[in-house]
């Protein structure tokens, strides 16, 4: 299925490659580089590209591209999911998934890739199973391996591989037993010039951190599960019970894992947390323009909007920006023509405003379109869809664990256009 994997940094340099079936030349990546150059943002690179002899399937994580090469037709989402598993495994093993960390742990990286894919087909992708086969690196183990010529590969087959619960290793013991869940929702929205919602949906994920002794059986209930669409579950979830009772029943893996992902596509259920008033004008004469942007809270259920940031890709004819911000600070990159206004925490009593003049090239024609705004934000302790966990029960063990749930709403692809739709 997957013949080769290339890791490419933000500058377009290939710093790691792994081949399973046959060695494929790096020149196959030239097709990917051509498309990447034309894309405005790395996230806009199409995940699937067709070449004369191969399919290139990629994801973008942590300023890195994970590019797989496939010679036969395969379900693209299958490959994309595997690439995300690879990135998640690196994150779990090394604490972060970056070029520097991967280069510092090349031996472990190649050992992981060898176990995760067998002759091009996914084999072991569960973190618990991998950690029994390939021990996570630490300073002491690295020193010992250097002196003795040893490796991080274990000598025995993982215990979970032989059980009915392959995602959980046997004999787990903890002094403090705890189960924590994070409900994280991303808003994807497009607003027109008047502020009317053109498109809105929510992508949600329930992340779990479970450290429980023995073989616990958990049940997680929601107050309003009917609003969820397109659910995707970890293999540990008993799907038939979810279908009949809308309850998550599962024996959890040990440690961190993604319990489920979901989708809220009903536009009337998506609350837009902020409103934007923008006025960007370019004049026919004088080689200048005016910018005036104000942001205020709209629907945040009494919670504070944090990490607010506005990004504007200006036309190429804009040379500089002379602006005044009532809150936060702004930067204008002369090379990329990107204006970034970092606001921070939104104060409802004093709305942040950015206004001033824009200088353009002398004699250059007026831009045909005004730029759109990309908005980034976070709201702690709030799931914007209204989803809430009602209770968590544990069976099969007699101790009482510590339990907790956190909620987070953040912006995904959140755009305010300069056009109105009739």
């Amino acid at each position: 299925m997957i013949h080769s994997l290339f890791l490419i940094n933000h500058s377009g340099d290939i710093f790691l490659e792994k081949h399973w079936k046959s060695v494929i030349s790096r020149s196959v990546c030239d097709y990917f580089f051509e498309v990447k150059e034309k894309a405005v943002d790395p996230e806009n690179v199409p995940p699937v590209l067709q070449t004369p002899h191969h399919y290139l399937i990629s994801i973008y994580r942590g300023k890195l591209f994970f590019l797989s090469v496939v010679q036969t037709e395969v379900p693209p989402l299958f490959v994309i999911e595997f690439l995300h598993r690879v990135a998640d495994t690196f994150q779990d093993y090394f604490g972060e998934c970056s070029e520097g960390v991967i280069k510092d742990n090349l031996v472990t990286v190649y050992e992981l890739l060898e176990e995760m894919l067998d002759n091009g087909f996914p084999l072991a992708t569960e973190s618990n199973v991998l950690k029994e086969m390939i021990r996570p690196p630490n300073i002491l183990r690295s020193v010992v391996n250097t002196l003795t010529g040893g490796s991080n590969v274990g000598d025995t087959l993982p215990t979970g591989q032989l059980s009915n619960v392959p995602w959980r290793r046997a004999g787990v013991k903890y002094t403090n037993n705890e189960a924590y869940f994070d409900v994280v929702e991303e808003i994807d929205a497009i607003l027109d010039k008047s502020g009317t919602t053109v498109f809105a949906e929510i992508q949600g994920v329930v992340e779990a951190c479970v450290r429980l002794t023995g073989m616990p059986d958990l049940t997680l209930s929601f107050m309003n599960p009917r609003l969820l669409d397109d659910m995707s579950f970890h293999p540990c979830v008993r799907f038939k019970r979810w279908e009949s009772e809308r309850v998550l029943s599962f024996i959890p893996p040990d440690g961190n894992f993604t319990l489920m992902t979901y989708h809220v596509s009903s536009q009337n259920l998506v609350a837009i947390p902020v409103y934007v008033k923008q006025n960007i004008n370019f004049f026919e004469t004088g080689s200048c323009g005016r910018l005036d942007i104000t942001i205020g809270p709209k629907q945040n259920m009494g919670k504070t909007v944090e990490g607010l940031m506005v990004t504007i890709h200006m036309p190429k004819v804009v040379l500089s920006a002379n602006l005044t911000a009532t809150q936060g600070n702004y930067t204008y990159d002369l090379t990329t023509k990107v204006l970034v206004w970092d606001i921070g925490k939104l104060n409802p009593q004093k709305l942040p405003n950015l206004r001033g003049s824009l200088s353009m090239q002398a004699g250059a024609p007026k831009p045909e379109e005004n730029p759109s705004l990309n908005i980034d934000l976070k709201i702690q302790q709030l799931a914007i869809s209204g989803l809430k966990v009602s209770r968590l029960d544990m069976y099969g063990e007699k101790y009482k664990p510590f339990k907790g749930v956190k909620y987070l709403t953040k912006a995904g692809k959140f755009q305010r256009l300069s056009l109105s739709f009739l």
Side-chain angles (χ1 to χ4, degrees):
M1 191 178 74
I2 297 177
H3 284 251
S4 300
L5 174 66
F6 296 94
L7 265 59
I8 304 170
N9 62 20
H10 193 66
S11 303
D13 300 322
I14 301 173
F15 66 92
L16 184 142
E17 60 184 279
K18 170 67 177 169
H19 307 278
W20 282 273
K21 291 190 174 183
S22 58
V23 177
I24 295 178
S25 172
R26 288 188 174 192
S27 60
V28 73
C29 298
D30 292 343
Y31 297 98
F32 173 79
F33 292 139
E34 288 178 11
V35 176
K36 177 179 174 292
E37 287 296 322
K38 297 176 183 177
V40 178
D41 293 316
E43 292 87 354
N44 293 337
V45 176
V48 181
L49 300 174
Q50 184 177 1
T51 72
H53 303 290
H54 306 89
Y55 294 98
L56 305 181
I57 303 177
S58 65
I59 65 169
Y60 183 69
R61 288 278 298 268
K63 297 185 178 180
L64 299 178
F65 287 99
F66 291 73
L67 177 66
S68 61
V69 182
V70 180
Q71 286 187 331
T72 57
E73 285 195 18
V74 297
L77 291 178
F78 188 79
V79 180
I80 289 173
E81 175 64 22
F82 174 76
L83 294 177
H84 279 293
R85 286 288 183 96
V86 172
D88 291 339
T89 301
F90 291 169
Q91 179 86 27
D92 191 26
Y93 261 72
F94 311 128
E96 63 175 306
C97 182
S98 64
E99 180 182 2
V101 169
I102 292 174
K103 284 182 175 179
D104 291 340
N105 298 275
L106 277 179
V107 174
T108 305
V109 167
Y110 277 109
E111 289 171 346
L112 287 170
L113 293 175
E114 197 66 42
E115 295 295 342
M116 295 183 75
L117 214 64
D118 182 31
N119 197 34
F121 290 87
L123 179 62
T125 58
E126 282 294 333
S127 178
N128 291 302
V129 174
L130 287 168
K131 285 181 178 178
E132 285 194 71
M133 290 192 292
I134 301 168
R135 293 179 287 271
N138 56 43
I139 296 175
L140 179 60
R141 189 171 294 133
S142 299
V143 173
V144 172
N145 289 344
T146 302
L147 296 176
T148 62
S151 70
N152 294 324
V153 180
D155 299 326
T156 58
L157 190 67
T159 54
Q161 289 286 75
L162 305 176
S163 72
N164 294 326
V165 190
W167 53 82
R168 186 175 181 87
R169 59 190 175 92
V172 179
K173 291 184 179 181
Y174 286 102
T175 304
N176 296 321
N177 294 282
E178 52 194 19
Y180 299 114
F181 296 87
D182 291 345
V183 180
V184 182
E185 294 188 342
E186 283 193 359
I187 307 172
D188 294 338
I190 298 177
L191 311 179
D192 67 9
K193 187 176 182 180
S194 64
T196 304
T197 302
V198 179
F199 166 83
E201 65 179 11
I202 295 173
Q203 309 286 349
V205 60
V206 179
E207 299 283 358
C209 177
V210 178
R211 293 184 172 88
L212 300 175
T213 300
M215 194 67 69
D217 198 325
L218 302 181
T219 300
L220 189 69
S221 305
F222 299 100
M223 291 180 62
N224 41 6
R226 299 290 174 183
L227 59 85
L228 305 180
D229 300 319
D230 300 332
M231 288 79 67
S232 175
F233 301 103
H234 189 279
C236 68
V237 175
R238 299 180 179 97
F239 185 63
K240 286 188 176 180
R241 186 166 180 189
W242 170 263
E243 280 190 310
S244 60
E245 303 176 34
R246 281 297 189 263
V247 169
L248 293 179
S249 175
F250 57 98
I251 297 175
D254 180 43
N256 300 314
F257 64 99
T258 300
L259 180 62
M260 68 176 288
T261 61
Y262 60 89
H263 188 79
V264 179
S265 56
S266 181
Q267 195 158 296
N268 59 344
L269 294 176
V270 181
I272 305 300
V274 296
Y275 68 85
V276 182
K277 294 180 179 179
Q278 72 178 69
N279 188 13
I280 304 176
N281 294 314
F282 297 102
F283 305 125
E284 294 284 357
T285 58
S287 300
C288 64
R290 294 288 301 174
L291 179 145
D292 192 341
I293 301 172
T294 302
I295 297 184
K298 191 175 182 182
Q299 299 182 47
N300 51 20
M301 289 72 169
K303 304 294 183 180
T304 303
V305 178
E306 303 174 350
L308 189 58
M309 183 180 294
V310 178
T311 303
I312 307 173
H313 291 270
M314 289 291 184
K316 294 182 179 180
V317 296
V318 177
L319 296 177
S320 63
N322 184 18
L323 308 173
T324 302
T326 60
Q327 182 180 337
N329 53 71
Y330 78 92
T331 58
Y332 182 63
D333 192 315
L334 299 177
T335 305
T336 60
K337 307 296 182 181
V338 175
L339 173 67
V340 178
W341 180 23
D342 189 354
I343 301 170
K345 187 178 293 187
L346 182 59
N347 183 2
Q349 278 71 42
K350 188 178 180 182
L351 301 182
N353 174 266
L354 180 69
R355 67 174 62 185
S357 60
L358 304 172
S359 299
M360 299 189 299
Q361 291 179 7
K366 175 186 174 182
E368 296 181 1
E369 296 179 355
N370 286 343
S372 58
L373 279 64
N374 294 305
I375 302 168
D376 194 15
L377 57 84
K378 290 182 181 179
I379 306 175
Q380 301 285 349
Q381 293 305 318
L382 173 68
I384 201 74
S385 67
L387 182 70
K388 288 187 178 180
V389 175
S390 60
R391 60 184 298 168
L392 173 67
D393 299 311
M394 185 182 75
Y395 306 95
E397 300 292 341
K398 296 182 179 180
Y399 56 83
K400 289 187 177 181
F402 296 102
K403 298 179 287 186
V405 179
K406 288 196 306 182
Y407 300 91
L408 174 66
T409 295
K410 57 183 180 179
K413 293 184 178 179
F414 196 132
Q415 277 193 331
R416 168 67 186 267
L417 303 180
S418 58
L419 304 173
S420 293
F421 292 84
L422 301 178

